[in-house]
Amino acid sequence: TDATASGLKVISGFRFEGTGAGSEAITLGGDGSTYRIDDCTFDGTGFTDSIIELQTDDARVFITRSRFTLSAAAVDAAIREHNSRSGSECLVTDCQFIIPSGFTQTVLIGSCFGVVNCVFDASAVTSGTYHMINPEDQITSNLFYGRVSNCTFIDGGSSGYVFALNVHIGSSSFGAT
């Protein structure tokens, strides 16, 4: 989207598919902006970086009713907050994340997320370690922020984790072990 610092920017009803090595499907910039991504499908199997990259401060991002298919090797994350998000928020609601066999990355990365009524389906992952949500600030180590409510997390018997807190806080253990 453009980098203007005001106004609502809407992306709705699109299908994003990578056909070869490439960067993000969407990079959001423009401090103080509001973004709404509705009813989109993201096939991340051809992307080498995150599917959605948040590179803005003081923004509001709403992602609803969208489906993300991740790649086992190429995709870094479905959604990654690039910077420290002081003042920003990203609300992800009613979305579905399809996590393939062999996935060893993290699905959501950053400290600005509110995640509500989402399904994280890693039923195809039967071995290896991955994380569904890493709520750590990308600039300030050991700073965590976010909320998760009414979500479904499905694992196929791997050593995956729902929250990536244990690698940052020595005695914490969230998720399957």
Side-chain angles (χ1 to χ4, degrees):
T1 68
D2 66 15
T4 58
S6 64
L8 173 65
K9 294 155 181 66
V10 179
I11 300 169
S12 182
F14 283 93
R15 176 177 170 78
F16 296 88
E17 183 174 350
T19 57
S23 60
E24 301 90 13
I26 298 176
T27 301
L28 300 177
D31 292 349
S33 294
T34 299
Y35 300 94
R36 198 175 83 217
I37 300 172
D38 298 323
D39 299 307
C40 290
T41 300
F42 297 91
D43 180 349
T45 57
F47 295 102
T48 55
D49 206 342
S50 303
I51 296 173
I52 296 177
E53 184 86 20
L54 308 177
Q55 295 184 351
T56 181
D57 289 321
D58 299 319
R60 294 170 49 101
V61 180
F62 302 94
I63 302 171
T64 59
R65 298 177 309 276
S66 294
R67 177 183 169 102
F68 296 82
T69 301
L70 284 79
S71 166
V75 173
D76 175 49
I79 307 169
R80 174 185 278 277
E81 158 203 17
H82 184 69
N83 299 315
S84 178
R85 288 291 142 238
S86 61
S88 287
E89 62 179 319
C90 181
L91 181 61
V92 182
T93 59
D94 300 310
C95 290
Q96 184 177 25
F97 298 91
I98 307 301
I99 304 156
S101 176
F103 184 77
T104 58
Q105 302 293 331
T106 301
V107 179
L108 301 177
I109 300 173
S111 63
C112 65
F113 288 104
V115 186
V116 181
N117 296 328
C118 292
V119 175
F120 294 79
D121 186 353
S123 58
V125 184
T126 58
S127 64
T129 302
Y130 66 91
H131 296 93
M132 294 191 184
I133 301 172
N134 178 352
E136 184 176 21
D137 187 275
Q138 298 300 288
I139 303 295
T140 307
S141 294
N142 295 320
L143 173 63
F144 300 92
Y145 175 80
R147 59 187 163 81
V148 177
S149 175
N150 202 37
C151 291
T152 301
F153 300 95
I154 304 166
D155 181 68
S158 71
S159 358
Y161 292 87
V162 171
F163 300 104
L165 298 177
N166 65 320
V167 296
H168 303 291
I169 303 170
S171 61
S172 292
S173 180
F174 292 86
T177 56

